Amino acid sequence: MILTSDTPINRLGIFFFYDAQGVVDDYVLKLLDGFMPHFSDLTIVCNGKLNDAGREKLLRYTSKLIVRENRGFDVWAYKTALDSYGWHKLEQFDEIVLFNATIMGPVYPFSEMFDAMNKRDLDFWGITKFHRVEHDPFGRSPYPYLPEHIQSHFHAYRKSLHTSQAFREYWDNIPPINDYYDSVGLHESLFTKRFADKGFKWDVYVNTSDLEGFTYGPITYAAKRLVAEKRCPIFKRRSFFHGYRDVMTQAVGNAALDLYEYLRDHTDYDVDLIWQNALRTMNVADLMKNLHLDYVLPQSLSVPLPEGKKIALAIHVYYMDLLESTFHYIQSMPEGCDIIITVGSEANAEIVREYCKQFPYHFDVRVIENRGRDVSALLVGCGEDLFRYDYVCFAHDKKVTQLSPQSIGDGFAYKCFENILASREYVSNVINLFEKNPRLGIAMPTPPNHASYFPGYTFPWGPNFPGTKDFLEQTLNMHVPLNANKEPVAPMGTMFWFRPEAFRGLLDHGWKYEDFPPEPNKVDGTLLHFIERAYGYVPQANGYYPAYIFSDRYARIEITNLSYELREVVKVITGPWIREDLQQTCVAIAEGKRFRNTLLRVMKNITKNVPVIGPALVKLHRKQLGINEDE
């Protein structure tokens, strides 16, 4: 069936919308604005919540708005809309389009797509397809493989299909859809083959036959290629929060970044629409990985500082014996900027003021109470005063005395300082990074991963997830997607650059020293540790994203460390000695015997065969299993 231009095309659009909070972001309006000229009628089906503002926005496009309980995913939402018309009434439409809010666009006018597809003799069509998989990953298919199929974010059914008895019977008898696997396995992946086998003709607008064998899902793993080379008018929201395990087993991890940068630099699509939705709905750990929100900046090549911008360093100084090394890094700030120094006593203030006289900055030395450490230094000692500035660096001198040798803790301090205040040239690049990325709210070093810090790098929430969540939600009334199974994105050394506007609600909370626990403090699980992790999420709640930053020199060290640790971990997993120990452990379990001695032997072998990270891993497991250090 060809849709000719001789007469107006009577096309029905059915739009499925779901948002956990019932919020309609602007990307949805952009999508609907692009489609509306091509529809003569529109029904919108919303599963679950829809707030008043969202309802008002959607009613601008149609009075046919159905809000239903969140059951059946998109499949039963579409069925609900079809049922609301009835098969007889639907016969008036030349084409019925089902589409949903999992796509963003248009990158190019939808008129290009509709004009091209109207001329093709088809019964049904879509924008993109998923290629055939030689096994069934969803466990739902009646075939030993997953058929190639039109992806369900956009289905178009011509009258030759939707008036057929086979089509009506399909929708009248659609099975219950209880989860994502049902939605794909029972509907999306089978629909195309079902009707193709009955003789109906189908096609997709974006031809990806050249990508057969390259990827199963071109819209995910070749997204930029589809947009740039094939003028695909849409892209998937999921690109930016896709599970990175899947990313790393199917590709190298560049797909979402390539897509984002192409949209930003080579199209008219406003990427701020992506950020608006992503920062409200997505876990920043997923955004961090898929968009690679880590920047390596030169520390020996400067860029011009922006004119008219106010820049400051806020730094807490506690150890007078570290004053020389602390001021070494202070001198990385642009000459003439404001330096706010907090100290714990008037005596120390006098020492610092005298030391400051030799440097070309505007110093403000403030005496604060010795309660709350660097956290109260920032939130009480500086607080709302920082809103006077466009960009602020926060730091504190650091001496870790609980680890032996002390060079381990010194390495942590070195990592923090080298990645926030490596040089004046480096600082100019950090400021430029904020200038070029208006949604960037905080830039920070990555957590430490060497020596005794290695287990904490892997399990960085420690005992702090519930407290951080309560602090954000109950104390600050901020709500962002948090997940205890995803790593926190936060400045674990409490040193970072930030845009003060991104810290609204935290800096101006009205903190007092009495709000913080008195000394001595626990080494973990206190309000100080909750706030440390919240630093990465307050910007998200305010519509800004966090990022990790490295000086180019320190990045060389980081890459070496991570590569070495990866190989060491693989040794733990694949070493023949560990396989033998684990086998004996499994036999002991199967025979109902005590296997504590076998477990201790495993730990001893890990310590012996993997000397760098082995002891740290064993220490972690001893603690989790309740095994004493001397066993």
Side-chain angles (χ1 to χ4, degrees), residues 596-612:
R596 188 182 188 86
N597 290 337
T598 307
L599 191 60
L600 289 171
R601 186 171 62 253
V602 171
M603 291 181 174
K604 182 179 178 180
N605 277 334
I606 291 174
T607 302
K608 175 183 175 182
N609 290 280
V610 194
V612 176

Side-chain angles (χ1 to χ4, degrees), residues 141-371:
S141 178
Y143 316 105
Y145 61 90
L146 194 73
E148 68 168 348
H149 57 271
I150 299 172
Q151 292 181 284
S152 65
H153 48 245
F154 182 100
H155 274 196
Y157 308 136
R158 299 239 168 113
K159 182 179 288 188
S160 55
L161 176 67
H162 74 72
T163 58
S164 70
Q165 187 63 29
F167 183 84
R168 295 178 177 185
E169 287 178 356
Y170 177 86
W171 285 100
D172 284 341
N173 297 287
I174 199 80
I177 303 295
N178 298 312
D179 56 30
Y180 171 77
Y181 293 103
D182 282 350
S183 181
V184 177
L186 297 178
H187 168 65
E188 179 179 15
S189 64
L190 301 181
F191 183 93
T192 304
K193 178 173 173 54
R194 179 188 183 107
F195 287 96
D197 288 349
K198 293 180 180 295
F200 293 98
K201 291 176 288 185
W202 69 277
D203 202 355
V204 290
Y205 174 60
V206 181
N207 183 357
T208 55
S209 58
D210 58 323
L211 296 175
E212 291 279 358
F214 176 77
T215 177
Y216 301 123
I219 193 68
T220 300
Y221 289 108
K224 180 238 179 177
R225 197 160 163 182
L226 266 58
V227 172
E229 299 176 15
K230 301 175 183 292
R231 292 187 71 81
C232 181
I234 55 102
F235 56 96
K236 295 285 284 185
R237 279 183 69 247
R238 190 177 186 86
S239 293
F240 308 111
F241 67 91
H242 197 69
Y244 212 69
R245 177 185 297 177
D246 193 37
V247 169
M248 285 299 292
T249 54
Q250 294 200 45
V252 75
N254 61 303
L257 181 62
D258 287 351
L259 169 64
Y260 175 81
E261 290 182 342
Y262 186 83
L263 292 170
R264 182 193 64 195
D265 299 335
H266 300 286
T267 76
D268 294 330
Y269 192 84
D270 182 4
V271 294
D272 199 61
L273 299 176
I274 299 172
W275 286 118
Q276 182 195 53
N277 177 255
L279 291 168
R280 184 181 62 80
T281 64
M282 301 177 194
N283 188 287
V284 290
D286 294 325
L287 284 170
M288 179 71 68
K289 289 190 283 288
N290 281 289
L291 284 173
H292 304 283
L293 299 178
D294 30 40
Y295 301 92
V296 178
L297 306 174
Q299 71 175 68
S300 58
L301 182 65
S302 65
V303 294
L305 292 171
E307 294 183 6
K309 295 297 175 74
K310 291 186 175 183
I311 300 157
L313 167 66
I315 184 166
H316 181 55
V317 174
Y318 183 81
Y319 300 102
M320 292 300 106
D321 59 319
L322 296 180
L323 209 54
E324 182 178 352
S325 61
T326 299
F327 268 80
H328 164 76
Y329 286 109
I330 287 176
Q331 291 177 81
S332 296
M333 291 297 292
E335 189 171 314
C337 74
D338 289 356
I339 311 290
I340 302 172
I341 302 179
T342 57
V343 294
S345 70
E346 187 59 45
N348 284 349
E350 286 302 315
I351 296 172
V352 172
R353 289 189 186 106
E354 186 64 28
Y355 204 89
C356 289
K357 291 179 180 178
Q358 57 187 303
F359 301 104
Y361 299 99
H362 301 296
F363 286 103
D364 179 359
V365 181
R366 303 179 179 184
V367 179
I368 65 170
E369 292 186 27
N370 187 26
R371 181 164 174 161

